[in-house]
Amino acid sequence: REEAVCILSDNVTIAQNVAAHTLYFPHPVFLGGGIMCVRSVLVLERGVTISGNYAVFGGAIMSTYGSTVTMADNVEMSDNLGLMFAPTVTLWIGVTMHLGDNVR
């Protein structure tokens, strides 16, 4: 199984986005307002901010199908809008999440 690796660190800001991925069922469903990860390793650390993003599932982050998400050292997710399940983070089908120091 191939995995993508995404590392965001040292004061990265992801803001004011509308959905990272769209599926149609038959209407559009927006997934992952700030970040969408599928079968991947996502690391957020040292001052990453995800704010003001919009999606139907996972306003800030939508993670699915065996992904691993790690957040530590002053990661902030604020003012994100997810209409169903979770306004901030949606974890779906076999996702592992590790939270470290000062995740808000």
Side-chain angles (χ1 to χ4, degrees), residues 66-82:
S67 294
T68 300
V69 179
T70 301
M71 294 188 236
D73 301 324
N74 301 310
V75 173
E76 182 169 337
M77 295 171 285
S78 62
D79 300 320
N80 296 288
L81 177 61

Side-chain angles (χ1 to χ4, degrees), residues 27-46:
H27 303 291
V29 175
F30 303 107
L31 308 175
I35 298 172
M36 171 78 182
C37 57
V38 178
R39 292 188 192 98
S40 55
V41 175
L42 175 64
V43 178
L44 307 176
E45 60 186 2
R46 294 193 303 271

